[in-house]
Amino acid sequence: MTTPSVPPGSIAIVGMAGRFPGAADVAQFWSLLREGRDGVRRLSREELIAAGLPASLVDHPDYVPAKGLIEDGDCFDAEFFGIPPREAAYLDPQHRWFLQSCWHALEDAGCDPAAFKGWIGVFAGEAEQSHQSALLARSRDVVEAARSTPIFFGNSPDFLATRVSYKLDLRGPSLTVQTACSTSLVAVHLACQSLLTFESDLALAGGVSISTPNAEGYTFAHGSVESPDGCCRPFDAGAAGTLPSNGVGVVALKRAEDALEAGDRIYALIRGTAINNDGGRKVGFTAPSIQGQADVVTLARKVAGVDPAEIGFIEAHGTGTVMGDPIEIAALAEAFGPAAPGAQPCWIGSLKSNVGHLKAAAGVAGLIKAALALHHREIPPTLHYRAANPKLELGRTRFVINDRLQPWTSDRARLAAVSSFGIGGTNAHAVLQEAPAPARSETTNERPLILPLSAHDDTVADAMVRQLGDALSAPRPPDLADAAFTLQTGRRHFARRRAIVAAHAREALDACRSGAVIASRVGAMKRPLCFMFPGQGAEFAGMGSGLLRCEPLFKDTVDRCAATILRLTGTDIRKVLGEGRADGAVLGDTRWTQPALFVIEYALGRVLMSWGLTPDRLIGHSIGELTAACIAGVMPEDAALALVVARGEAMQASPEGAMLAVALSEAAIGELGPDLRLAAINTAAQCVISGSPEAIEAQDARWKAHGVQTRRLPATRAFHSHLLQPVLDMF
């Protein structure tokens, strides 16, 4: 199959986040869907009464103790967002979870909003305000409580999206959408329009539905849309309704061309979206309309520029109601037209069979499911399906209810569609296409990579290390270089930090599992940074070889400096560095040691600065002084190299000498002979002397005889002594 192209006007889904019944995040959500598990909870009598429900209600014969709830639905990391505890207590859980999910969606998209160059919009909707009702029920003066600032601003739908924009400092359009069950897919449609008109450069879109209390059932009423047994059976002959559930979903969207240019991971492309309203063409305000649904499906398909025969999977609204299912299939049949002989089937699914009806979050949850199906090239099953409702008349269509996990095979670009219909008649439909294959690097990574992680507290930082390990051990692990890039540039960095240094995924995974992690804590104040460059004695054959292989800027700098030294001396310093010899030149000879040290130090300094490590101060010892001066801008590169070469040649011309480190203080060394000098005082009890080889050898023997610890340095000249005095005039 050829790689799918990217049609003009496509929108890329670059990030996703959510929390669903039976699934704490998007990865768990996909596992629940593909494994065909039911996320709906059957609640015990004790749980319901503990949640505050009266026993008379719980014990009623028509009460159904089932709900798709989310664990810890009332929890919130208020401190992370700078929200005081009292304000957080009044804040609707829907606002809490939507704010957190927006942050997670940005992280999944590899986007730190503080560093993003562009406007980020927010389009969102929520379900009923049951949290506010619970707060008011506990108040003595309900009217006065409703007017209070914390309750009003913490619960009004008006502030669902704008609170996200305020807390995350997002500058694009920010608005709340309310169209009942179709809310979040309508929000996605508006987000796509905002991107296409360049009002936004990245858009967050989604919805949330969390009722208070989180743990509750419902009272079944004959003729209602709710199931009598807490089980949703979309399109099945025994379908009798749906059930209310809690959940939240958010997608991060970008114009496809921008996502491709940035190298973003793309789950799927949105080819086209449409919204409309049924108007008066139905039997009642809450009833669906065949023509209204058919019109929106047709319009979205035309916007996408695709033929109905190309669409292989539809994530339907699929409420499993007596009226809704037949109308939805009839509308799809009208929009798609009659099935051609031998046409490939179009699979139909509904996640309401897994998690119930997420109300304001239902549409975005369906979009996430369809995007993941395209991403993984698998179609998850619809649960509780035994035999088709005969009123669907599937035989005259190419629609087939998918009741088992199956691979999505296709000889062309895979296409999916998502429907979401709201009580009141606002309908939404989206057409999706699988993402183009990500670009793969032809080179094999050899350089060690830094994978940084950070959080506000150590517990979360350690948990992130475990999560990274889980990601690296997944069946489809991320490319290590891509992961390192995202963690370095696409994440906000906090005070509690962890880092893993690894060249290969297995090495990184082992570090995560064994705890071989660098841990640090960054204070509020930025500390000054100093580059320190050593002098002769720090050199070794092959120094910088790893950076020469892996770091282009380092290699370019070394090559440029080597060309200048070759012009000045006729010797290629790179051969001296790598092999220790080049046309008789040896790294241990002062003439070549000093240029070699300068080149490596200077190139390393340039690389560190390219990574954003700009020094506040520079200091050098001996030849390192010239490196510091050059990086500080005291002299240009060519002039510094000319001085370094001249310095090395002048010192090489000096008499042979030696140096000795001794574990004595300056006072304990005392008077030295005429051929020796105190060269350096490194610590209160550690000095270096310098002089002729004979004098150094004799002094070394005397100290050793008295049990004094000494060490000969790898120097062939008496640096920092009177023996180098003649060099000054030459230099």
Side-chain angles (χ1 to χ4, degrees), residues 405-546:
L405 177 69
Q406 59 179 316
W408 191 347
T409 57
S410 178
D411 57 358
R412 58 189 176 190
R414 295 164 181 80
L415 293 173
V418 183
S419 291
S420 191
F421 310 128
I423 289 178
T426 294
N427 308 307
H429 191 76
V431 178
L432 279 64
Q433 177 184 300
E434 67 176 309
R440 293 293 182 186
S441 173
E442 297 295 327
T443 59
T444 301
N445 176 63
E446 292 186 8
R447 66 183 282 192
L449 301 169
I450 301 174
L451 293 95
L453 302 162
S454 67
H456 275 305
D457 63 70
D458 292 320
T459 302
V460 177
D462 292 335
M464 293 176 75
V465 174
R466 294 191 294 271
Q467 290 172 354
L468 177 60
D470 292 341
L472 293 172
S473 61
R476 295 175 60 181
D479 178 80
L480 192 67
D482 289 345
F485 178 81
T486 299
L487 291 172
Q488 291 169 20
T489 65
R491 293 287 188 272
R492 185 75 56 85
H493 299 296
F494 302 104
R496 302 308 201 277
R497 300 188 177 186
R498 305 290 182 268
I500 292 167
V501 180
H504 308 288
R506 170 50 60 183
E507 188 180 357
L509 178 58
D510 290 344
C512 291
R513 295 287 186 255
S514 66
V517 176
I518 301 167
S520 64
R521 177 179 177 181
V522 179
M525 297 293 291
K526 180 182 179 296
R527 297 181 180 181
L529 180 65
C530 179
F531 284 3
M532 302 176 69
F533 300 100
Q536 198 163 334
E539 71 281 352
F540 58 91
M543 59 181 175
S545 57

Side-chain angles (χ1 to χ4, degrees), residues 13 233 530 625:
I13 302 175
R233 302 175 177 82
C530 179
E625 291 182 88

Side-chain angles (χ1 to χ4, degrees), residues 344-359:
Q344 290 292 316
C346 178
W347 301 99
I348 302 289
S350 173
L351 62 81
K352 292 179 179 64
S353 67
N354 302 88
V355 296
H357 194 344
L358 302 179
K359 296 177 281 189

